[in-house]
Amino acid sequence: MSSEERVKYWESAWDNGRTQWHASVVNFALQSFGHLLLPSPQRRVLVPLCGKTVDMKWFYDNGHSVVGIEGVEMPVKEFYEENGIPYTTEELPWGKLYKSKDQRIQLYCCDLFQAKPEVLGKFDAVWDRGSLVAIYEEDRERYSQFMKAVLAPDFRYLVNLMQYRPNEEFSGPPRNVPNELVLQLFGDVCELQVLETLKWSKEEGPWYDYGMQEVVALLTPKK
Ligand SMILES: C[S@@+](CC[C@H](N)C(=O)[O-])C[C@H]1O[C@@H](n2cnc3c(N)ncnc32)[C@H](O)[C@@H]1O
């Protein structure tokens, strides 16, 4: 699959306002477990497939440096504009980089699989929400290789998973990502600790019928 094909679905989602995943408030998992993800100040945080999540502003306001990767340009621009953060841009051979003036929020507009780990550097923390669950099945192995290439030795990786009964009507995104799959992808270098399991109620959406639950898990270096 080419980068254009990979991002096409998402471009159309942004263009047509099919962005029900985007929230106007900081994700509950960060409110509850942010201290486990960021045990000390001034960390470098990676937000893969970031959209324009306000979680990035939360990291920034808490003094951390943020790098996001997003394939569609519209949300990247809107992130800076909606949060009143002045920015500059830089063309790269594999995408476009948006930077706040103080450089503490840098968003790469590119297909994640075009981003260069050696340019991004290492991250103390990863916030993976709507990311691993959005990746195409055939790209999962590459995704985990990419993430492992950018983890600092003492990393913390907080992931929000969606889990539901496989069925014929709905296969995502969000895709079903059981804990075992995370261990298959990351278990060679990570330990997984489930922090919270939140079963969706009927009011929370159409996927209740498939037993939808959100799982918040922390990945840390394997001892
Ligand atoms: C489900 S949304 C989640 C956004 C964000 N993490 C949040 O919590 O609001 C997935 C995002 O990933 C972007 N995306 C999907 N595939 C991508 C890829 N291969 N490279 C970069 N961005 C991608 C989409 O444009 C979309 O904004």
Side-chain angles (χ1 to χ4, degrees):
M1 193 185 299
S2 70
S3 292
E4 288 74 32
E5 283 166 333
R6 207 177 271 124
V7 173
K8 207 166 159 189
Y9 166 90
W10 297 98
E11 249 157 13
S12 143
W14 280 108
D15 282 347
N16 298 302
R18 283 186 284 108
T19 55
Q20 66 291 340
W21 68 80
H22 179 72
S24 56
V25 292
V26 173
N27 189 270
F28 70 94
L30 291 181
Q31 305 278 11
S32 306
F33 307 114
H35 62 291
L36 298 179
L37 178 64
L38 301 156
S40 50
Q42 298 180 8
R43 304 287 80 192
R44 262 195 108 218
V45 187
L46 175 64
V47 185
L49 276 58
C50 59
K52 57 172 181 174
T53 175
V54 299
D55 300 342
M56 295 192 286
K57 179 72 168 30
W58 185 82
F59 293 127
Y60 182 69
D61 289 344
N62 282 289
H64 305 289
S65 297
V66 185
V67 171
I69 303 176
E70 169 55 50
V72 180
E73 190 159 11
M74 182 171 89
V76 173
K77 267 180 135 162
E78 286 181 357
F79 173 80
Y80 287 95
E81 285 159 10
E82 290 173 7
N83 290 292
I85 303 173
Y87 64 91
T88 57
T89 62
E90 186 185 328
E91 293 293 339
L92 305 170
W94 40 277
K96 188 167 171 181
L97 173 60
Y98 280 68
K99 297 188 256 193
S100 63
K101 272 191 169 166
D102 62 3
Q103 313 264 327
R104 263 201 314 117
I105 295 200
Q106 307 200 356
L107 304 190
Y108 287 87
C109 182
C110 64
D111 173 17
L112 177 112
F113 299 105
Q114 294 299 317
K116 305 274 172 270
E118 63 277 17
V119 174
L120 299 181
K122 302 285 183 190
F123 294 92
D124 307 301
V126 176
W127 170 226
D128 184 323
R129 187 257 176 187
S131 185
L132 180 54
V133 296
I135 289 289
Y136 290 97
E137 281 181 32
E138 69 224 58
D139 288 330
R140 282 174 180 160
E141 186 60 42
R142 271 176 88 193
Y143 178 82
S144 66
Q145 295 302 333
F146 176 90
M147 299 309 287
K148 288 180 222 172
V150 296
L151 294 174
D154 188 27
F155 67 86
R156 303 279 184 278
Y157 186 129
L158 191 64
V159 60
N160 182 310
L161 303 166
M162 306 300 274
Q163 301 180 345
Y164 53 94
R165 278 190 299 279
N167 65 87
E168 293 192 345
E169 283 164 35
F170 180 74
S171 57
R175 296 185 171 84
N176 175 37
V177 180
N179 300 346
E180 300 72 45
L181 177 59
V182 180
L183 282 170
Q184 261 174 44
L185 295 169
F186 291 93
D188 55 335
V189 297
C190 299
E191 288 180 1
L192 178 148
Q193 184 191 359
V194 172
L195 301 174
E196 187 165 354
T197 301
L198 204 75
K199 289 191 189 303
W200 279 27
S201 64
K202 231 182 174 100
E203 297 74 52
E204 273 168 311
W207 304 315
Y208 165 80
D209 292 340
Y210 315 133
M212 181 69 80
Q213 62 179 23
E214 247 176 292
V215 169
V216 180
L218 184 69
L219 302 178
T220 49
K222 199 168 180 162
K223 288 183 198 107

